[in-house]
Amino acid sequence: MSWLKFPGRDVKGFRMARMMEVNDEAIRNAGYVYNSSLNPVYLPGRYNNFSSPRTMFKEHGLIQLPASATPLLRVPLFWLSFHHLPLWYYKLACNTTIRRDGYLNIYFHPWEFTDLSDPQLKLPWLIRKNSGADMISRFSKLLDWMLLKGYSFETLIGFVSRSSS
């Protein structure tokens, strides 16, 4: 049983901040069922996981559910690419990944939906771009497109439980 509780539910999965490496044994001993801290891409100065599996696998008695990245080139489908790639390209990348892998595992941070454009915040352009109302609009368009494509949505523990049995 994990230390964090939601009313009537235990938290079953873990994602390390900034998707940094984390000890699988510690995660398993804490009672988690899955770890979603792997970004299976190569980004200089951040991640060197190009040779890691892109899709769900089991290791050290723990289910590993990497963040989604496109097949072949492994374009990461994380917050930064969502903010900066043209939406049509991001949708194409999502569609390609879903068709190849059968699912998409993407994350968004709550702060991304806040207007960060104020110059007094002194935040880098990479973070400010498409924040606030622009992010809400882009995200709504992505969800509408996914619904039109007939894609379904579920919790990670639901997906992991269904897929690993």
Side-chain angles (χ1 to χ4, degrees):
M1 193 173 320
S2 68
W3 60 271
L4 181 61
K5 302 266 188 190
F6 287 96
R9 300 179 105 172
D10 289 335
V11 176
K12 300 289 187 181
F14 184 83
R15 179 186 169 262
M16 184 63 159
R18 302 185 83 190
M19 301 189 89
M20 302 302 288
E21 274 191 52
V22 62
N23 182 289
D24 285 337
E25 184 178 352
I27 297 300
R28 193 179 64 252
N29 290 341
Y32 293 105
V33 174
Y34 69 89
N35 177 17
S36 193
S37 303
L38 176 63
N39 201 350
V41 301
Y42 174 72
L43 289 176
R46 179 61 64 109
Y47 308 114
N48 187 9
N49 300 320
F50 200 79
S51 62
S52 298
R54 275 187 334 95
T55 58
M56 187 169 64
F57 62 100
K58 193 164 189 173
E59 185 176 68
H60 307 124
L62 189 65
I63 295 169
Q64 305 288 336
L65 184 59
S68 287
T70 61
L72 301 177
L73 295 178
R74 293 196 178 206
V75 173
L77 298 174
F78 65 154
W79 72 273
L80 194 60
S81 57
F82 183 75
H83 282 264
H84 293 278
L85 293 174
L87 190 55
W88 68 266
Y89 183 83
Y90 191 84
K91 288 177 186 177
L92 177 67
C94 287
N95 194 50
T96 301
T97 303
I98 291 169
R99 285 195 351 246
R100 177 73 173 268
D101 302 343
Y103 69 92
L104 190 65
N105 179 22
I106 55 178
Y107 293 92
F108 295 94
H109 307 96
W111 57 260
E112 295 176 71
F113 297 90
T114 302
D115 184 3
L116 301 173
S117 63
D118 184 347
Q120 291 182 335
L121 293 173
K122 297 182 180 175
L123 293 170
W125 171 80
L126 286 172
I127 292 174
R128 292 190 324 257
K129 183 174 181 186
N130 287 320
S131 68
D134 291 341
M135 173 61 172
I136 292 168
S137 175
R138 285 173 69 83
F139 190 70
S140 292
K141 288 175 184 173
L142 178 67
L143 290 179
D144 288 345
W145 171 80
M146 289 179 162
L147 289 169
L148 282 173
K149 297 288 281 181
Y151 296 140
S152 60
F153 300 81
E154 67 182 311
T155 62
L156 286 180
I157 191 59
F159 173 75
V160 166
S161 298
R162 182 177 54 77
S163 300
S164 62
S165 48

